[in-house]
Amino acid sequence: MHRLLPLLLLWIPRIHCEDSAMEEIATEKEAEESHRQDSVSLLTFILLLTLTILTIWLFKHRRARFLHETGLAMIYGLIVGVILRYGTPSTSTYNKTISCSQEQRAFTTLLVNVSGKLFEYTLKGEINPEKIHNVEQNDMLRKVTFDPEVFFNILLPPIIFHAGYSLKKRHFFRNIGSILAYAFFGTAVSCFIIGNLMYGVVQLMKLVGQLSGKFYYTDCLFFGAIISATDPVTVLAIFNDLRADVDLYALLFGESVLNDAVAIVLSSSIVAYQPTGENTHTFDAAAFFKSVGVFVGIFSGSFAMGVCTGVSTAIVTKFTKLHCFPLLETALFFLLSWSTFLLAEACSFTGVVAVLFCGITQAHYTYNNLSPESRDRTKQLFEVLHFLAENFIFSYMGLALFTFQKHVFSPIFIIGAFIAVFVGRAAHVYPLSFFLNLGRRHKIGWNFQHMMMFSGLRGAMAFALSIRDTATYAHEMMFSTTLLIVFFTVWIIGGGTTPMLSWLNIRVGVDPDQDPPPTTDSFQVLHGDVGDSIGTSRTKQESAWVFRLWYSFDHNYLKPMLTHSGPPLTTTLPSWCGLVARCFTSPRAYNNPEPLREDDADFILNDGDLTLTYGDTTITANGSTGSHTATTSLDGRKTKSSSEEALERELGGGDYEITNRGTRLVFPLEENA
């Protein structure tokens, strides 16, 4: 016996070492298997996108327009979701259920003591006991279920930035008043109408016993906010292919771009609505005004952050020689643009608003400072990222219908949601169009209104907002319903766009760079040749008066400050700002002091709104000249010269081009008949 005791003492540590070695081997195998499943899930999405692209090519080759690529991506996602849901074997890594009945809440991080060793576990979310042996037991299905933050931080920024960076400024600003009305007031109206109708549906569900959890009025308003985010990507793509009416395109595109931003800020404001007292779901005036303040604060702060980032990028690209290294210039542009979204989110603002207005600012200022290579690269880079990210999201929508773990489908809620969305869209479009037409010379016709009503698709933003929070019963039901609404609008409404255009007699085949022929209630664009405008009667340009004010200030001060455009600030700023003018005026502005020409944005005002100053002579767009004034030399000193000599020198002996050297734009504030 005494001889066996030493052997036993030597054998026990050996057993312990063997157990540790087995644990290490098991951990390595589990990590290797997890890596393999991650690769398979990403490969699945890449194959989905590849198949979508090939099918798109086939459809374009055959000129088929009954289904858009987003609808195709959703169909392929559905097929793969069915295969993963029902065709893959269960590969659970759950070994044992540990009971924590004494705890009152779930912990986000848990340390478990197993035989003296501490293991860390993180919270994944609640599992429905009825589904514990199907979806939740398949590791592959859990792998293809992405973290919602991936959508916000990775996939949404290039989509939103591309919308701002590729904005057609001419048609956008021509209809800016109507676009802002539809995006802000219309989205708010739609949100409250849908929210109140859905609250009635929820009360009906309570009466018939179809409501299994809590569903408050604020939850209904939240659903109204997220489902009011329109995303007519399918309709706009068909409009682009058919070259539909540019003003209808601008109204739909502008509304969809801005109301995404409004919807996300509105949803954040509704979440911030927290009444005081025992009942936290009754109306409280103080909490309501607090929510309004949150909306204004978040939107204005995000707007300011996006514009400031764009201005900073413009200054960096202007006063450095990054254009000598196009690859570095493109990389810096890309990183600063993307960081705008993350910076806004980190500061508790909204990245969608910030990156949208950053894109608009970058397109207006920074783009002019880039080298030709960087201009092409940035346009193509964000166009490709936008295409891939958007199709990835729509593929994931199809996949999520079968792989998402917390679906709650209620027929009454779904039917009520479809009716509420239709009513909310109608109350959004028709009354607003009536009031807008009271002040528009170029009216929004009934065919345009019907098309806008028909084109209120729901897409990537509504899906991303609904999947971001699925922690409660109400939010799970809202996510499942949103998914079905997106499917219906993309497939049915998107597929019916071409027949609807024909039925409403909306003209197609329109050159986006040309304006409609002059009629009594249309407007025209001044294209830059003063000689063509002499003796020509033009109708009033219907651009917002706010834009006309800003346009003059931008061309005289902002563009010369942030780009290499002329006229030099030393000729436009007061003499006491000489130091600032010399610091922000680049040498290229002295060498070539004419304003930058942008075919998309510049010279979109009418002859009644535009006055040119050539040296000492004022010339209106119809060719009339003003009296003698003083010119300012490049070094800032005032000099005198005759009107005839200045005109002959600047216009080159009768070559009346609006873009000659030393052009300054001046806009009268009063309306011209």
Side-chain angles (χ1 to χ4, degrees), residues 494-526:
T497 299
T498 303
M500 184 62 70
L501 285 172
S502 176
W503 185 63
L504 294 174
N505 294 321
I506 295 175
R507 61 197 187 107
V508 296
V510 180
D511 187 353
D513 295 324
Q514 297 293 330
D515 290 292
T519 60
T520 56
D521 72 35
S522 67
F523 46 82
Q524 290 188 356
V525 176
L526 183 60

Side-chain angles (χ1 to χ4, degrees), residues 426-660:
H428 169 179
V429 173
Y430 294 115
L432 265 182
S433 300
F434 171 78
F435 288 110
L436 288 172
N437 281 337
L438 297 178
R440 286 177 62 104
R441 290 179 178 247
H442 190 65
K443 309 300 182 184
I444 304 173
W446 282 107
N447 56 344
F448 278 23
Q449 295 180 40
H450 295 328
M451 194 67 215
M452 293 179 67
M453 172 69 192
F454 181 80
S455 303
L457 280 74
R458 272 59 179 177
M461 181 57 71
F463 173 79
L465 287 173
S466 61
I467 199 177
R468 194 175 191 181
D469 182 8
T470 56
T472 64
Y473 168 82
H475 284 224
E476 291 170 2
M477 185 183 297
M478 287 188 285
F479 170 71
S480 303
T481 305
T482 300
L483 204 57
L484 295 181
I485 292 175
V486 172
F487 286 159
F488 176 83
T489 56
V490 170
W491 286 339
I492 305 301
I493 297 180
T497 299
T498 303
M500 184 62 70
L501 285 172
S502 176
W503 185 63
L504 294 174
N505 294 321
I506 295 175
R507 61 197 187 107
V508 296
V510 180
D511 187 353
D513 295 324
Q514 297 293 330
D515 290 292
T519 60
T520 56
D521 72 35
S522 67
F523 46 82
Q524 290 188 356
V525 176
L526 183 60
H527 286 288
D529 191 5
V530 178
D532 293 340
S533 66
I534 297 177
T536 302
S537 177
R538 296 174 185 260
T539 55
K540 182 75 174 175
Q541 156 66 28
E542 190 185 315
S543 58
W545 64 270
V546 175
F547 174 65
R548 295 200 296 269
L549 290 175
W550 172 82
Y551 195 83
S552 175
F553 179 77
D554 176 62
H555 276 72
N556 285 332
Y557 304 106
L558 293 183
K559 272 197 172 180
M561 182 178 293
L562 300 177
T563 68
H564 300 289
S565 171
L569 290 171
T570 52
T571 66
T572 58
L573 287 175
S575 57
W576 56 271
C577 296
L579 179 61
V580 175
R582 288 191 295 271
C583 289
F584 281 93
T585 302
S586 66
R588 289 168 58 181
Y590 292 117
N591 297 330
N592 191 24
E594 70 271 13
L596 288 174
R597 281 298 307 275
E598 288 186 71
D599 294 335
D600 179 39
D602 287 351
F603 304 107
I604 66 174
L605 299 181
N606 205 349
D607 49 359
D609 301 321
L610 181 61
T611 303
L612 308 180
T613 301
Y614 283 96
D616 63 342
T617 303
T618 301
I619 306 176
T620 61
N622 59 15
S624 62
T625 60
S627 60
H628 179 86
T629 59
T631 63
T632 306
S633 61
L634 296 181
D635 59 3
R637 294 174 298 178
K638 301 284 185 177
T639 60
K640 298 283 185 178
S641 63
S642 66
S643 301
E644 293 80 4
E645 291 176 354
L647 281 175
E648 186 175 357
R649 181 175 65 253
E650 296 293 346
L651 297 178
D655 185 15
Y656 293 93
E657 287 192 5
I658 211 166
T659 58
N660 274 292

